[in-house]
Amino acid sequence: MIYSDNNLKKELINYGKMLVEKYKAQLKIDGTYATGDTAKSLDYKITDTELVILSDMAMKYIDQGREGGEQPPIPEILKWARAKGIRPRDGSGKFIEVNDRTMFRMAANISKAISYNGTIKRFGGKGSDIIDFVYQRNKNDMIENIFLAYSDDVDNMIEEIVKMK
């Protein structure tokens, strides 16, 4: 007799879809949505008995932040700044002409500042903790329903065994 995990897999698929949508929404809510690349990269996969949420590396930096030390790539900062509509300023804080040179210099300065201070100032130089935040808000229902689905699968297996005897 082979264990059938149909109910468990269905439940994991439901939660995979739900978590991906909640993570996408939370990126917008907490203001960490920029180019949309990270939101587009979010996906899930189901292994035998496990739900795995997938994303690009940017999600790690959004979640945990980036500690000072290493400069992030300037082209990535430039892409982010353009998506967010961030414009260069002069030393007194006034906006200056936007061109490739001023945008590159601004991105280089941001990259350098991140290497000193870390990322996301409003989160204290740390990340937004989005992964744990979304999970904790949905954990109780997920655990209960996954347990029930697993229980249903075991009950179905026992019924099959009883029918065979």
Side-chain angles (χ1 to χ4, degrees), residues 71-72 77 80-81 86 105-115 118:
Q71 278 189 243
I77 299 291
W80 166 81
I86 297 172
R105 286 178 56 202
M106 178 191 70
N109 287 335
I110 292 171
S111 178
K112 190 174 184 179
I114 289 171
S115 76

Side-chain angles (χ1 to χ4, degrees), residues 4-154:
S4 172
D5 57 0
N6 292 335
N7 292 314
L8 177 59
K9 282 190 176 175
K10 285 178 191 172
E11 202 62 32
L12 291 174
I13 289 168
N14 288 338
Y15 283 112
K17 291 176 185 176
M18 184 269 301
L19 284 171
V20 165
E21 290 308 311
K22 298 257 184 194
Y23 285 126
K24 286 179 180 182
Q26 192 61 38
L27 286 168
K28 290 180 180 178
I29 291 167
D30 67 18
T32 53
Y33 185 98
T35 64
D37 290 348
T38 299
K40 288 178 201 154
S41 78
L42 283 162
D43 201 0
Y44 70 94
K45 76 175 184 177
I46 306 297
T47 64
D48 288 336
T49 56
E50 189 175 55
L51 167 63
V52 179
I53 303 296
L54 308 166
S55 73
D56 65 10
M57 280 300 291
M59 187 69 156
K60 174 186 173 191
Y61 296 123
I62 292 167
D63 180 58
Q64 300 171 6
R66 185 181 190 120
E67 292 184 6
E70 186 180 329
Q71 278 189 243
I74 294 171
E76 292 299 314
I77 299 291
L78 192 54
K79 184 177 174 183
W80 166 81
R82 285 193 168 121
K84 287 291 223 177
I86 297 172
R87 297 176 40 207
R89 297 173 186 247
D90 65 16
S92 65
K94 293 181 183 174
F95 288 112
I96 59 174
E97 178 186 350
V98 175
N99 58 43
D100 287 344
R101 186 172 147 264
T102 59
M103 288 296 288
F104 181 84
R105 286 178 56 202
M106 178 191 70
N109 287 335
I110 292 171
S111 178
K112 190 174 184 179
I114 289 171
S115 76
Y116 291 134
N117 306 317
T119 55
I120 314 182
K121 186 176 180 178
R122 66 192 150 92
F123 295 118
K126 299 182 180 4
S128 69
D129 200 27
I130 185 174
I131 293 171
D132 194 49
F133 178 78
V134 170
Y135 172 74
Q136 290 299 329
R137 292 185 82 184
N138 298 283
K139 173 178 78 169
N140 292 338
D141 286 342
M142 286 178 15
I143 290 171
E144 183 178 330
N145 290 332
I146 288 171
F147 179 75
L148 289 172
Y150 180 72
S151 176
D152 287 344
D153 287 337
V154 171

